[in-house]
Amino acid sequence: QVRLEESGGGPVPAGGSLRLSCTWSGYRSTSYCMGWFREVPGKERERVATIRSDGVITYADSVKGRFTISEDKARKTLDLEMDSLIPADTGMYYCTQKVGGSCPPAQAQYRFWGQGTQVTVSS
């Protein structure tokens, strides 16, 4: 069983920055995918950024060049640095993990989820 806990969300003006952090505990397979998804009311949870156990990173087109995902294996953390935030980035951000080294875009493929942290970008 894996536990994930997010922190770092909050309100921020457009153009600002936030850093989200996810701390995980429990057993993690040597082959895995971890990442961040976000959800807004009425829409499906969408993939923002993922990182594979071999280090391959994928970003949603909407956040490329503005967001950076990073992992600290020793501290068991997964961070998301978000710069140049825009109102469309508003949503609940979830940390997630799955077994296996692929990082599919569909949320249903991910087994473990945190409770989420809210990010609100004002114009």
Side-chain angles (χ1 to χ4, degrees):
Q1 189 71 11
V2 175
R3 294 189 63 182
L4 305 167
E5 184 172 355
E6 305 94 338
S7 62
V12 61
S17 298
L18 274 179
R19 187 177 185 90
L20 306 182
S21 187
C22 172
T23 301
W24 66 271
S25 61
Y27 172 77
R28 186 175 71 176
S29 170
T30 55
S31 179
Y32 61 85
C33 174
M34 289 196 71
W36 292 91
F37 279 62
R38 68 184 174 199
E39 183 175 317
V40 296
K43 291 189 176 181
E44 195 166 320
R45 199 172 291 187
E46 65 169 351
R47 181 178 63 177
V48 175
T50 53
I51 184 167
R52 292 181 352 193
S53 47
D54 62 359
V56 174
I57 290 173
T58 301
Y59 293 103
D61 288 343
S62 61
V63 307
K64 282 180 181 176
R66 300 188 298 119
F67 289 14
T68 303
I69 189 172
S70 61
E71 178 185 26
D72 187 325
K73 296 181 181 180
R75 294 177 57 235
K76 296 186 176 181
T77 59
L78 180 76
D79 290 350
L80 185 68
E81 177 70 32
M82 305 186 295
D83 299 317
S84 302
L85 285 160
I86 59 177
D89 294 321
T90 294
M92 185 70 80
Y93 283 70
Y94 295 90
C95 178
T96 185
Q97 185 184 128
K98 63 176 286 292
V99 176
S102 66
C103 291
Q107 61 166 335
Q109 301 297 315
Y110 293 78
R111 180 177 179 185
F112 303 107
W113 294 88
Q115 293 300 305
T117 185
Q118 177 69 35
V119 172
T120 303
V121 184
S122 58
S123 57

